[in-house]
């Protein structure tokens, strides 16, 4: 056990933790930056993290789970994770975080903003004290975007094609429109996600990523057109009636999506 207190910031690949890393770089020079790699991340996440690493001037340590996603899936009998069966966060993110820390006393920096209300999976081990610098300093979404722009890093690269959250390419927190965009941008990853839905086929079961809609239904041209139309109508309405959220929409953070509670450790 280390006698000194360690300062650790877990990056998710998302905008808030990246902005927090930039914000804290000169405030806590001894900060350790880590990323819990599920090995099922988007390629853009690795690219973004390597640019962030260059900015920070320090390596970002990548933790790995004890067993791969596929191995755990086998253990769970082909039952892919969902918001009700969320085994992935604990096994692929939280456990590797706690293993990395061990029994050391740690200050854990989390990028929750002052303008959001959400909770999620974080470690509650007695040797870990979690702090929320953006909340303490009253920093909201506009500040986060400003920090990222001023640094030259910008928003996560995956926001360019309309993905709003970091995390695994198959994450069940995705909106339907994001599945459509995944298929258009990374058809190979969409196919892999689709194959996982039938991992339990031999037992006569299938589990779906997007509610009760199989991806092979969601990808049909008429369904894609319907999803896109619905999203456009919703977006126009939000822009019209909610101008204070404009910066979020332009920043790639759809307010509707902000309301979908994800995992802090995966997606902040
Ligand atoms: S990003 Fe989504 S699928 Fe991946 S570990 Fe987190 S909750 Fe699970």
């Amino acid at each position: 056990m280390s006698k000194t207190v360690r300062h650790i910031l877990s990056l998710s690949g998302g905008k808030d933790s990246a902005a927090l890393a930039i914000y804290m770089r000169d405030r806590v020079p001894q900060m350790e930056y880590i990323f819990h790699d599920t090995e099922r991340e988007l390629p853009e996440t690795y690219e973004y993290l390597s640019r962030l690493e260059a900015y920070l001037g320090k390596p970002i340590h990548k933790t790995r789970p004890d067993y791969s996603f596929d191995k755990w899936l086998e253990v769970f009998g082909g039952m892919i994770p969902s918001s009700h069966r969320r085994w992935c966060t604990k096994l692929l993110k939280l456990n590797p975080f706690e293993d990395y820390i061990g029994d050391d006393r740690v200050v854990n920096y989390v990028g929750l903003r002052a303008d959001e209300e959400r909770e999620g999976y974080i470690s509650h081990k007695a040797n870990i004290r979690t702090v929320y610098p953006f909340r303490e300093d009253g920093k909201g979404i506009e500040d986060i975007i400003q920090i990222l722009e001023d640094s030259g890093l910008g928003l996560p690269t995956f926001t360019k094609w309309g993905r709003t959250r970091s995390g695994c390419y198959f994450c069940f927190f995705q909106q339907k429109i994001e599945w459509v965009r995944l298929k258009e941008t990374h058809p190979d990853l969409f196919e892999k996600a689709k194959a996982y839905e039938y991992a339990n086929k031999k037992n006569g079961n299938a589990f779906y990523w997007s509610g009760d809609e199989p991806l092979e239904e969601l990808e049909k041209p008429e369904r894609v057109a319907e999803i896109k139309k619905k999203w456009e109508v919703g977006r126009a309405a939000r822009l019209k009636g909610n101008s204070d959220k404009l910066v979020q929409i332009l920043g790639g953070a759809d307010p509707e999506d902000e309301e979908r509670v994800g995992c802090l450790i995966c997606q902040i």
Side-chain angles (χ1 to χ4, degrees), residues 88-89 167-168 170-173 263 266-267:
C88 51
T89 309
C168 307
F170 48 53
C171 186
F172 45 84
F173 283 116
C263 298
C266 301
Q267 293 166 341

Side-chain angles (χ1 to χ4, degrees), residues 71-99:
K71 183 73 195 160
W72 280 120
L73 189 61
E74 229 179 284
V75 171
F76 283 91
M79 188 181 70
I80 56 175
S82 70
S83 53
H84 306 298
R85 308 180 298 265
R86 205 195 302 181
W87 53 261
C88 51
T89 309
K90 179 163 173 46
L91 297 169
L92 305 178
K93 299 270 181 183
L94 265 185
N95 286 0
F97 174 61
E98 293 181 347
D99 289 348

Side-chain angles (χ1 to χ4, degrees), residues 8 20 24 107-112 129-134 136:
I8 299 183
L20 185 62
M24 299 307 297
V107 181
N108 175 36
Y109 293 78
V110 174
L112 263 185
R129 181 166 71 87
T130 300
V131 295
Y132 305 95
F134 284 153
E136 286 154 24

